[in-house]
Amino acid sequence: MKETQLQIPLPGVPKAKQGREVPQKWAWTEASVWTERMLATLERGIKGGKWFSLIDKVWKRENLQSATAQVLRNKGGAGVDGQTCERYRRTAPERLARLQEQIKSGRYTPPPVKRVWIPKLGSKELRPLGIPTVEDRVVQTAVRNVIEPIFEHIFAEHSYGFRPGRGAKDALRRVDRLLKAGKVWVVDADLKGYFDSIPQDKLLAAVAEHIADGALLDLLGKMLRQGVMESGKRWKPTETGTPQGAVVSPLLANIYLNPLDHSMARAGQEMVRYADDFVVLCESEAEANEVLEILRRWVAAAGLTLHPTKTRIVDASQKGGFEFLG
């Protein structure tokens, strides 16, 4: 759950106003952006179904201030510029003024992320992790503060990954309840290289279905295409996917799979998803085979790929079972 108050003092930067009276489910939202009036509009439904004029809320000083506090609180390593969180904290007042003007004028361009390789859970393989600069993490957090509630309002109930007030244990409890209810035929799906393979044009189109602010969409596009640097070598801009390790990546990944979530729900299927890891629990083998075929068609149309060996149908009532969320 995100912090909505400044936790780390930033000399010379005014504090954001607090004290909203909002429903508990929206208590996590950024107070300097999501006022009582805006949240009421979100609940009621905005005219035309799209949000305009959001970029000014991204570069709003109080939002950048709160975003900086969140990034510094989370710590993390330096990006390609070598700038540490502690050094950024000391120079934040001057930096935020300049950063605000860059975003406001459309001149902000994210530097490439630093690529490092980390162990892949349960495997001898390594997976790439992108580390944005501290300042880029501030910008991405400011963007997330603005757009996350818009999509949180429309996300499906059975999606649990990287969402406020939800976690892996909630997903596992639901799987347990469904198994005990007799839905033991499990479609265990694995999306091959999901974060790296999301088509950026389709992803931005999914965002644009609910956001009509061209400047904000352009900024998101820059974040997706910012490229990577490994061992000091500049790579070409990334043309597919959303960088693992980027602040906005989990939200964008959920946005892209949200239509699948609702498609499964409308079909009456019991799907449980945590980011790109999901299962569908069925009452029979025949139903599971039908679901797998539906998944194959949807995934192909979305420009994604089901892993040919890791995607399978399992009878969970038999010895061996299946693995979900480790």
Side-chain angles (χ1 to χ4, degrees), residues 4-18:
T4 57
Q5 294 183 338
L6 186 63
Q7 300 294 329
I8 299 176
L10 302 175
V13 180
K15 290 187 177 181
K17 295 179 180 179
Q18 306 293 328

Side-chain angles (χ1 to χ4, degrees), residues 131-243:
I131 304 177
T133 64
V134 175
E135 186 158 271
D136 194 38
R137 298 203 293 272
V138 169
V139 177
Q140 290 191 33
T141 301
V143 169
R144 188 184 64 186
N145 286 349
V146 173
I147 71 173
E148 186 171 27
I150 295 171
F151 294 97
E152 184 61 30
H153 186 56
I154 63 172
F155 281 159
E157 182 64 26
H158 60 253
S159 167
Y160 294 92
F162 305 104
R163 294 182 59 189
R166 290 168 169 251
K169 290 184 179 180
D170 299 307
L172 293 172
R173 278 191 285 266
R174 184 159 184 264
V175 169
D176 184 59
R177 288 195 301 270
L178 291 169
L179 289 172
K180 289 176 178 176
K183 293 184 177 292
V184 297
W185 284 93
V186 180
V187 180
D188 184 7
D190 185 282
L191 290 172
K192 186 176 181 181
Y194 174 59
F195 281 83
D196 295 327
S197 61
I198 302 174
Q200 292 180 359
D201 57 342
K202 292 184 178 181
L203 172 57
L204 288 172
V207 176
E209 288 181 11
H210 304 278
I211 293 176
D213 188 314
L216 180 51
L217 293 173
D218 286 345
L219 180 56
L220 283 171
K222 289 180 180 179
M223 291 176 177
L224 292 174
R225 298 186 297 270
Q226 66 191 113
V228 297
M229 183 180 289
E230 185 174 0
S231 301
K233 182 180 179 181
R234 176 70 182 269
W235 286 22
K236 65 180 181 180
T238 42
E239 298 178 351
T240 59
T242 176

